[in-house]
């Protein structure tokens, strides 16, 4: 899901992120006429190197364009809860449980305008406070080329202070189950991004970027913005972790609240459920680690056997070469001996 005011380049960013025209419809929208935020999910099928990825992008046109903030927040909250409820009902159904279609929001990319002043606005703070406990919120500074590098650095520090001051729990600093890459990723948060569907010439090479009178901003140049690091997070290193975090933390909280709210299972039973699910997840991880360990051991044994065989073959080759050399020397000795007898 992408959320942010109109004009921050959300569509351009998504097209740049997946290197595909995800939105070909260039229809002018009268956003000021919208009385509430529109929720527009669109599913795409992306194929790269023979791998098919089913991607659902949820846009939120109209966000930030109304004076009443409830009309901004509530449609987003309702949509996220509706997908959790849909998944919950599918889990309860014997027929649907075998093949559940997962429409839950696994990442919410929140676009912060590049004001470069005084940190987050009230709208940004209130929205992320309310959403960060329901979904993985990934904050980005949109259109970062509107700021100087030193302004970006100062703006990031101010935003991070606001996160801490207002207890805004963004991904992956909070919630992420896979903590291995978190310290490296946190160095770039919040991500300053630039999107472009156009190619510009840089030193004779065509790259995605924006051309200005003072120079060129390259989308995939980490000296210019954090686009490559955000892409690494979303579709490479943390793709599976986003899904697991959504299921094990955000969806689990929704599921527990729904069961408690409807007078279902007692708290003691719910604790047992959570304990059971935790044990299952722990068992899965242990099994995966054990399988990986066995795979590594088998690979090491195979490599050892190959090396042992290579050493054996090398030794036999050396023995054959030595025997051949010995025979050559013996033949040469006999030849010289025959020549000496002939001369006598």
């Amino acid at each position: 899901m992408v959320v942010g005011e109109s004009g921050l380049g959300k569509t351009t960013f998504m097209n740049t992120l997946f290197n595909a025209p995800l939105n070909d419809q260039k229809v002018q929208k009268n956003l000021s006429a919208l009385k509430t935020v529109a929720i527009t999910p669109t599913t795409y099928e992306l194929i790269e190197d023979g791998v098919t990825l089913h991607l659902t992008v949820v846009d939120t046109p109209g966000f930030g364009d109304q004076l009443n903030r409830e009309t901004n927040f509530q449609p987003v909250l309702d949509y996220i809860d509706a997908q959790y409820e849909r998944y919950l009902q599918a889990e309860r159904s014997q027929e649907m449980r075998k093949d559940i279609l997962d429409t839950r929001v696994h990442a919410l990319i929140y676009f912060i305008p590049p004001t470069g002043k005084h940190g987050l606005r009230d709208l940004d703070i209130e929205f992320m406070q309310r959403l960060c406990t329901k979904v993985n919120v990934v904050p980005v500074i949109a259109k970062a080329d509107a700021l100087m590098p030193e302004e970006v650095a100062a703006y990031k520090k101010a935003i991070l202070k606001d996160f801490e001051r207002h207890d805004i729990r963004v991904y992956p600093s909070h919630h992420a189950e896979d903590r291995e890459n978190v310290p490296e990723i946190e160095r770039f948060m919040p991500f300053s991004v630039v999107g472009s569907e156009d190619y510009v010439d840089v030193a004779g090479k065509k790259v995605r970027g924006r051309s200005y009178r003072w120079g060129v901003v390259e989308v995939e140049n980490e000296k210019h913005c954090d686009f490559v690091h955000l892409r690494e997070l979303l579709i490479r290193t943390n793709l599976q972790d986003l899904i697991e975090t959504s299921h094990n933390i955000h969806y689990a909280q929704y599921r527990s609240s729904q069961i408690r709210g409807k007078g279902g299972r007692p708290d003691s039973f719910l604790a047992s459920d959570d304990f059971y699910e935790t044990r299952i997840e722990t068992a899965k991880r242990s099994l995966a680690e054990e399988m990986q360990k066995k795979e590594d051991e088998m690979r090491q044994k195979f490599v050892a056997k190959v090396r042992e065989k290579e050493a054996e073959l090398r030794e036999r080759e050396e023995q054959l070469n030595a025997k051949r050399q010995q025979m050559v020397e013996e033949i040469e000795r006999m030849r010289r001996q025959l020549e000496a007898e002939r001369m006598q």
Side-chain angles (χ1 to χ4, degrees):
M1 176 178 280
V2 288
V3 180
E5 294 179 358
S6 56
L8 290 181
K10 299 188 295 294
T11 300
T12 301
F13 170 78
M14 295 304 294
N15 292 345
T16 307
L17 180 64
F18 293 99
N19 196 26
L22 299 185
N23 189 356
D24 289 327
Q25 298 179 353
K26 303 297 182 180
V27 180
Q28 294 294 327
K29 300 177 182 178
N30 184 9
L31 296 177
S32 61
L34 294 176
K35 295 182 179 180
T36 185
V37 176
I39 304 294
T40 56
T42 308
T43 300
Y44 304 92
E45 185 177 276
L46 305 178
I47 301 176
E48 184 176 354
D49 297 331
V51 177
T52 302
L53 172 66
H54 294 279
L55 170 71
T56 299
V57 177
V58 186
D59 198 2
T60 54
F63 182 88
D65 298 324
Q66 294 83 31
L67 294 176
N68 184 359
R69 289 174 183 167
E70 282 300 316
T71 62
N72 288 277
F73 303 159
Q74 202 57 47
V76 179
L77 290 165
D78 290 345
Y79 180 83
I80 292 172
D81 284 345
Q83 306 317 305
Y84 286 154
E85 181 63 26
R86 181 177 179 179
Y87 195 90
L88 178 60
Q89 295 304 321
E91 279 189 328
R92 292 174 173 175
S93 170
Q94 292 295 334
E95 294 77 15
M96 298 177 64
R97 193 168 187 175
K98 298 176 182 178
D99 188 18
I100 299 179
L101 179 63
D102 190 358
T103 61
R104 295 171 297 180
V105 177
H106 298 300
L108 188 152
I109 306 175
Y110 186 74
F111 286 71
I112 302 170
T115 60
K117 298 178 180 178
H118 313 304
L120 297 171
R121 304 167 303 167
D122 291 342
L123 174 66
D124 305 323
I125 292 170
E126 188 174 351
F127 179 82
M128 286 191 279
Q129 275 183 326
R130 296 177 65 172
L131 269 293
C132 68
T133 57
K134 282 184 169 289
V135 68
N136 298 318
V137 176
V138 181
V140 302
I141 300 173
K143 294 189 172 182
D145 51 338
L147 302 173
M148 297 293 289
E150 55 271 18
E151 291 177 321
V152 172
Y155 195 28
K156 283 188 175 187
K157 289 182 180 179
I159 292 173
L160 291 174
K161 287 181 180 179
D162 283 339
F163 286 162
E164 185 176 357
R165 183 181 302 116
H166 299 286
D167 193 26
I168 298 174
R169 305 175 182 182
V170 297
Y171 183 92
S173 298
H174 299 83
H175 305 313
E177 296 195 340
D178 184 1
R179 311 297 300 179
E180 182 179 353
N181 300 320
V182 171
E184 176 65 19
I185 296 171
E186 284 182 326
R187 296 194 303 114
F188 306 101
M189 292 184 63
F191 300 94
S192 59
V193 298
V194 177
S196 176
E197 299 178 59
D198 299 324
Y199 287 86
V200 295
D201 186 81
V202 177
K205 183 180 179 181
K206 293 291 184 181
V207 297
R208 282 187 181 269
R210 293 183 177 273
S211 181
Y212 298 96
R213 286 181 299 176
W214 45 264
V216 172
V217 176
E218 300 174 43
V219 171
E220 297 182 87
N221 188 334
E222 60 182 69
K223 294 181 180 179
H224 295 180
C225 70
D226 301 324
F227 174 82
V228 291
H229 303 294
L230 178 58
R231 180 179 62 189
E232 191 78 10
L233 167 75
L234 292 175
I235 62 179
R236 292 178 184 168
T237 59
N238 287 59
L239 177 60
Q240 185 60 34
D241 185 70
L242 283 164
I243 297 172
E244 292 177 356
T245 302
S246 294
H247 182 79
N248 298 331
I249 297 178
H250 301 300
Y251 171 69
Q253 291 175 350
Y254 174 84
R255 177 176 174 272
S256 297
S257 66
Q258 288 299 105
I259 296 175
R260 288 190 178 96
K262 294 180 180 179
R265 296 163 69 84
D267 287 348
S268 59
F269 281 25
L270 289 171
S272 297
D273 290 345
D274 294 340
F275 177 69
Y276 175 76
E277 289 184 359
T278 301
R279 287 188 62 186
I280 291 296
E281 292 300 322
T282 302
K284 286 182 179 178
R285 283 195 291 269
S286 298
L287 181 60
E289 291 174 359
E290 184 179 351
M291 292 294 292
Q292 184 64 44
K293 183 179 179 181
K294 289 183 177 179
E295 184 179 341
D296 292 340
E297 289 177 354
M298 291 178 64
R299 185 181 295 108
Q300 290 174 2
K301 288 181 180 179
F302 176 76
V303 171
K305 287 185 177 181
V306 169
R307 290 178 177 173
E308 183 181 348
K309 193 65 176 178
E310 287 178 345
E312 182 182 341
L313 292 173
R314 194 177 299 111
E315 184 180 356
R316 290 180 62 184
E317 183 181 5
E318 290 175 355
Q319 290 176 353
L320 289 173
N321 287 335
K323 190 172 183 180
R324 177 177 174 276
Q325 184 63 30
Q326 184 180 356
M327 291 178 65
V328 168
E329 292 176 354
E330 180 66 20
I331 292 172
E332 180 64 19
R333 186 187 64 79
M334 294 177 63
R335 186 184 66 79
R336 290 178 180 175
Q337 183 177 355
L338 288 173
E339 288 183 354
E341 291 177 355
R342 190 180 299 114
M343 290 181 63
Q344 293 178 359

